[in-house]
Amino acid sequence: MTSELLDPLDLQIESRNQRRSVGRLWQLVRRSTRLVWGSGRLLFVGLLVVQVVAALVLAGQVLVVESFLSAVLELGPGGGVPSVLVAATLGLAGLMAAAALLDSVRGSMSRFLGESVARRTYQDVLDAATAVSLRHFESASFYDRLQRVEASATSRPFQVTQALLGIVGGLAATIGVGAVLAGIHPVLLPLLLLGGLPMILTNRRESRREFQFTVAQTPHQRQRYYLSYLLTTRDEAKEVRAFDLGGPFRERFDELYARYLADLARHLRRRLALSTAGNLGSAAVLTATLLVLVTLIGRGAVSVAQAGAAIVAIRMLQGQVQALLRGMQSIFEAGLFLSDVDQFMDLAATARDEEEGDPAPPAFGEITVEDVRFSYPGSATEALRGVDLRIRRGQVVALVGENGSGKTTLAKILAGLYDPSAGAVRWDGRDTRTYSRVSVRDRVAVIFQDFVRYAFTARENIAFGRAGKCEDARVAEAAGRAGAASFLEALPAGYETILSRMFKGGRDLSGGQWQRVAIARAFYRDAELMILDEPTAALDPRAESALYESLRAVLAGRTAVFISHRFSSVRAADVIYVLDQGRVVEAGSHEELMAREGMYAELFRLQAAAYLGEPGVPQAR
Ligand SMILES: Nc1ncnc2c1ncn2[C@@H]1O[C@H](COP(=O)(O)OP(=O)(O)OP(=O)(O)O)[C@@H](O)[C@H]1O
Ligand SMILES: [Mg+2]
């Protein structure tokens, strides 16, 4: 399995190429059985038993109807009620009650089973979503698939469960009632089964249409979800109001919805046409069957009582054959989604392959980045175009450069989140790709520009730096070093305060306070290599200088790479790398770079002059 994602278009092609075949049905039944079996075997077996018993009850009903009718027909005036008739009546009532009871038992059991299957599927999907390689998150078709799989994770498992039970129940009942019908007259059965044929022909086409419709709608649906997210979330609410974007967004949302409804109407009309054709075909065959029955009575080949029972049987069979076909249709329909899910899981499996390899050493003496190139998936231009650098243990290394020069991209590669497209990152000479990526990431603490503000407690926001047991003393220490302790302790519930207004008792923080919490998270991780992407952008000058003072103490001989646009903090770094358009153009200490009179010196002077308000400095480059 390649890790390449299929486009929605490919999926459509794929669905078109899937032959409607007994083989495919069998394969799907097996796949579904595996899924349902894995989620609740006892319940599943119980339900199968219920289905078979229900089928026997149905067949029994037909037999009882026949004896009931013949007893009624033999009833003479004033002759009293024969015991056969009483027994048949009671039997019929009993069987009908049993059928109703079995039905509700089946309803409850299959609901619970469906929910268990849904839970299992959801677990698998979420496991896969957290395991897949980060680069998939750069791809729109990945999101489409994720959304489709996630949306179907709640509904499709029910469908699969119901379909499977429908097939088993329908098959059992068809055999049971069919045997009774064949006993009445052999010609009736094949005729009736023939009635299912038109529906078989139309069903698969319908399910394929359904899947294609979903595939085609997913991108629009995602846009819709995004718009409704913009309109309903708190952080976005202020900007949406400030720029008065509510109206335009609503309009777009309505437009998308209207288009969806129009598409849905067209889709439903097509589906309706198909199913009507199938039903009409079945009805024609049924009419023929009834005509045959009438002819048989006329010829005396069947008695009137038998004919009555046969009509009941035909009625039942019709329902059962339809249940069987519906089950098959459902399973074909769910089958396309199941393979969607399977392919999604395969992505996670390939991601797990990437996790193979020796564990990275606990520490390194030197990291070398050799001629590293990187382009984002689906992007034609390279974000990094041959980067070389060297980071020795214990150093504080700064990356500077203009917006879009590749600093964050380099940080992601150093953190083991992406593999370089070419070149290598080596720890003491060994390519990090030969280590398991999990272990590489384990040695690194990275805080990105767009770090996450978890709507959990302050303590958790810091302790998430290293998953596992939370050590309160270390949380406090990390907070102290990041300059977050004082304001966190002052919160209503101290470290236990939820850092979001979304939840009761929660409090929000200022931008700079959040940044300190994020830095505390990195400190808490206590990793060999710390990467901070613009850690001080939102910090006030006093906090910034305090942070850099504490940085060396926190590092205690470990290594830091930080990215900053503020040259005041950059100048204290041991080595500064200047990036420009995906390349390192200068490297050295502050003094060396200033002496070089290159890009660094120019940018540094520009900023310094702006602070000092020197005359004659151009306002823009
Ligand atoms: N997810 C992405 N998909 C495609 N291209 C990307 C992605 N992220 C960044 N890029 C591109 O890669 C290049 C380098 O981006 P990067 O984020 O590394 O810049 P940066 O130096 O961190 O900039 P800044 O100072 O603005 O943070 C840019 O041209 C950017 O447009
Ligand atoms: Mg950046």
Side-chain angles (χ1 to χ4, degrees), residues 137-138 374-379 381-384 400-412 418 449 533-534 563 565 579 581-582:
F137 282 87
E138 309 288 347
F374 183 80
S375 36
Y376 284 95
S379 165
T381 54
E382 283 181 317
L384 296 179
V400 298
E402 296 179 339
N403 294 137
S405 54
K407 304 180 296 296
T408 299
T409 310
L410 183 57
K412 288 179 191 163
Y418 286 117
Q449 288 167 298
D533 191 351
E534 293 190 36
I563 297 170
H565 290 293
L579 270 81
Q581 299 182 27

Side-chain angles (χ1 to χ4, degrees), residues 56-117:
L56 291 177
V57 167
L58 276 187
Q61 268 175 296
V62 177
L63 290 176
V64 176
V65 163
E66 191 192 333
S67 53
F68 174 82
L69 281 179
S70 51
V72 167
L73 290 172
E74 277 163 18
L75 217 55
V81 179
S83 56
V84 187
L85 186 56
V86 176
T89 312
L90 288 179
L92 201 57
L95 285 175
M96 276 158 95
L101 182 69
L102 283 170
D103 215 40
S104 40
V105 167
R106 180 176 45 200
S108 309
M109 283 170 82
S110 70
R111 179 169 165 197
F112 195 83
L113 184 60
E115 204 68 84
S116 309
V117 178

